């Protein structure tokens, strides 16, 4: 008989009838939702910073997996019911992932506020909301029986250290490497850009869109034949 194993990325179990466990089973999938959201934002915005953030997340996760293979500490006894005893638990990759994201986002927001005090409310909400979400994910890993408290704490420490190191590295490379990347053939092919130097990106894009619309209308008006009457023109 073929031995089957579960794909543990989304294979989350909780006790039947446990409402809190059901909620935490959803919360513990936050890393998946975050990465999918970041990938969607990267496709929509084409920002180099989003790409480097995602690279950092992947490297942090690979480091966590490598440490598990080196330390080889088993998961708690509840792994039997969860069918997860074939994998190691030290450190918790979920905790490492979430603290990495929380630290990176917090430091990036602090740097942005230092340069541009008039930060929009959405960025403040994201920066503040990521910490309760991180704590909830860490708690869910213990509550659902996937990790012991020391394994979660070790993952959190790893994520904090990695998030801090990655932010320092990318911040130092921002002034030198980002312009080079922006001018590279790959970034030009996919229209990748760096907008970190713009205080209010939304207002900047809005004004440019209006300016392009006015120029387009002016071009159309100049090309219209004499005597042609066009209704609904925008002045």
């Amino acid at each position: 008989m073929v031995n089957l194993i579960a794909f543990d990325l989304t294979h989350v179990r909780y006790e039947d009838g446990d409402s809190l466990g059901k909620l935490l089973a959803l919360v513990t999938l936050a890393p998946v939702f975050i990465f999918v959201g970041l990938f969607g934002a990267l496709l929509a915005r084409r920002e180099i910073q989003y790409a480097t953030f995602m690279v950092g997340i992947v490297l942090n996760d690979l480091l966590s997996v490598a440490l598990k293979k080196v330390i080889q500490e088993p998961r708690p006894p509840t792994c039997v019911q969860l069918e997860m005893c074939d994998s190691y638990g030290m450190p918790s990759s979920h905790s490492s992932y979430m603290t990495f994201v929380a630290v990176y986002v917090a430091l990036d927001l602090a740097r942005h506020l230092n340069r541009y005090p008039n930060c929009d409310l959405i960025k403040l909400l994201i920066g503040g909301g990521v910490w309760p979400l991180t704590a909830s994910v860490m708690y869910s890993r213990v509550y659902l029986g996937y990790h012991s408290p020391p394994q979660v704490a070790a993952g959190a420490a790893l994520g904090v250290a990695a998030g801090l190191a990655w932010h320092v590295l990318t911040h130092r490379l921002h002034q030198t490497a980002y312009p080079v990347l922006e001018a590279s053939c790959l970034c030009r092919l996919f229209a990748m850009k760096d907008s970190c130097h713009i205080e209010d990106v939304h207002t900047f894009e809005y004004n440019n869109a209006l300016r392009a619309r006015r120029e387009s209308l002016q071009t159309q008006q100049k090309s219209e034949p004499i005597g042609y009457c066009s209704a609904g023109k925008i002045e």
Side-chain angles (χ1 to χ4, degrees), residues 95-174:
S95 298
S96 175
Y97 185 111
M98 291 304 300
T99 50
F100 178 94
V101 171
V103 168
Y104 188 93
V105 169
L107 292 175
D108 193 69
L109 180 60
R111 181 169 64 91
H112 188 85
L113 285 173
N114 184 50
R115 294 176 60 191
Y116 311 119
N118 299 322
C119 186
D120 59 85
L121 180 61
I122 295 179
K123 291 181 179 179
L124 291 175
L125 290 175
I126 293 175
V130 70
W131 286 104
L133 179 60
T134 298
S136 299
V137 171
M138 292 170 61
Y139 177 72
S140 74
R141 302 310 289 173
V142 177
Y143 183 91
L144 296 173
Y146 285 91
H147 291 284
S148 65
Q151 291 171 353
V152 169
L158 174 63
V160 169
L164 177 61
W166 189 250
H167 185 271
V168 171
L169 176 63
T170 54
H171 178 57
R172 290 184 176 180
L173 294 177
H174 178 258

